[in-house]
């Protein structure tokens, strides 16, 4: 299963970001999309230019949230988020996933990392009570792919210390 076509930039940023957001809204916010039976949700606050926090996070890059820069590669692949979620839910060949723990200011969190190795794209969701929170999505660099491969292989090789999240 191949990802949807890229959404090309036409030179007009204002019009483009509206097209990208329309696709994101239709695919994620307004859809009934689920992952392993749990509805997909996004973080809305704080909003920027009347768009949810999570939208800006998946179409921009940078370490400091307030200083992130729009990324045309992320924007062009906005339709790939829903595609990869669906691939994981349907257990499509070539899509790998694993659970990963991370530290936050509020303690430890578990993320589900969904990766299309063939298309160099990853979607990250956080299991929550009754839903899956979309955390991030981005194209994968060669260096990041090596790290994802190590983490995924280690997850599947080791005894599971992270509680299973409910994959069918």
């Amino acid at each position: 299963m191949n990802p949807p076509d890229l959404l090309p930039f036409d030179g007009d940023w204002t019009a483009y970001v509206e097209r990208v957001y329309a696709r994101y809204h239709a695919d994620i916010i307004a859809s009934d999309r689920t992952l392993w039976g749990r509805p997909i949700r996004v973080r809305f606050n704080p909003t920027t230019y009347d768009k949810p926090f999570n939208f800006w996070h998946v179409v921009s890059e940078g370490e400091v949230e307030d200083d992130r820069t729009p990324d045309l590669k992320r924007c062009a692949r906005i339709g790939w988020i829903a595609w990869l979620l669906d691939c994981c839910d349907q257990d499509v060949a070539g899509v790998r996933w694993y659970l990963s723990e991370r530290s936050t200011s509020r303690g430890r969190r578990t993320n589900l990392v969904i990766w299309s190795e063939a298309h160099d794209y990853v979607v990250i969701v956080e299991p929550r009570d009754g839903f899956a929170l979309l955390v991030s999505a981005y194209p994968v660099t060669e260096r990041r792919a090596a790290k994802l491969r190590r983490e995924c292989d280690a997850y599947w090789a080791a005894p599971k210390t992270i509680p299973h999240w409910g994959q069918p």
Side-chain angles (χ1 to χ4, degrees), residues 13 48-49 53-71 74 135-139:
W13 171 250
T48 303
Y49 302 113
F53 170 87
N54 181 254
F55 169 73
W56 291 112
H57 188 83
V58 299
V59 299
S60 64
E61 63 181 351
E63 294 297 319
V64 179
E65 209 60 53
D66 290 338
D67 294 330
R68 292 174 68 88
T69 304
D71 182 338
R74 287 179 177 226
V135 174
S136 194
Y138 51 88

Side-chain angles (χ1 to χ4, degrees), residues 15-133:
Y16 184 60
V17 77
E18 291 304 322
R19 286 186 18 242
V20 171
Y21 181 71
R23 178 68 183 264
Y24 169 86
H25 188 273
D27 283 356
I28 306 299
I29 296 174
S31 77
D32 292 328
R33 183 160 277 101
T34 62
L35 179 61
W36 298 336
R38 295 178 187 213
I40 303 296
R41 300 287 184 256
V42 302
R43 182 175 161 194
F44 281 87
N45 292 312
T47 60
T48 303
Y49 302 113
D50 295 323
K51 293 181 177 51
F53 170 87
N54 181 254
F55 169 73
W56 291 112
H57 188 83
V58 299
V59 299
S60 64
E61 63 181 351
E63 294 297 319
V64 179
E65 209 60 53
D66 290 338
D67 294 330
R68 292 174 68 88
T69 304
D71 182 338
L72 292 177
K73 288 181 181 179
R74 287 179 177 226
C75 291
R77 289 161 178 77
I78 198 70
W80 290 21
I81 297 171
W83 164 76
L84 199 49
L85 290 168
D86 292 348
C87 285
C88 186
D89 205 31
Q90 298 166 19
D91 197 26
V92 170
V95 173
R96 302 180 72 186
W97 66 266
Y98 63 96
L99 294 172
S100 173
E101 285 190 337
R102 64 184 169 90
S103 295
T104 70
S105 59
R106 295 182 179 170
R108 305 231 13 110
R109 298 275 191 193
T110 300
N111 282 340
L112 172 65
V113 179
I114 308 165
W115 175 36
S116 172
E117 190 171 7
H119 297 94
D120 295 323
Y121 195 74
V122 69
V123 172
I124 300 171
V125 297
E126 183 181 317
R128 296 279 183 101
D129 280 339
F131 66 96
L133 181 68

Side-chain angles (χ1 to χ4, degrees), residues 130-165:
F131 66 96
L133 181 68
L134 177 61
V135 174
S136 194
Y138 51 88
V140 176
T141 63
E142 192 173 316
R143 182 177 171 154
R144 179 72 175 137
K147 182 178 180 193
L148 288 169
R149 193 171 296 106
R150 283 191 307 272
E151 289 175 352
C152 190
D153 290 347
Y155 172 79
W156 288 105
K160 301 301 171 266
T161 59
I162 302 173
H164 194 59
W165 184 51

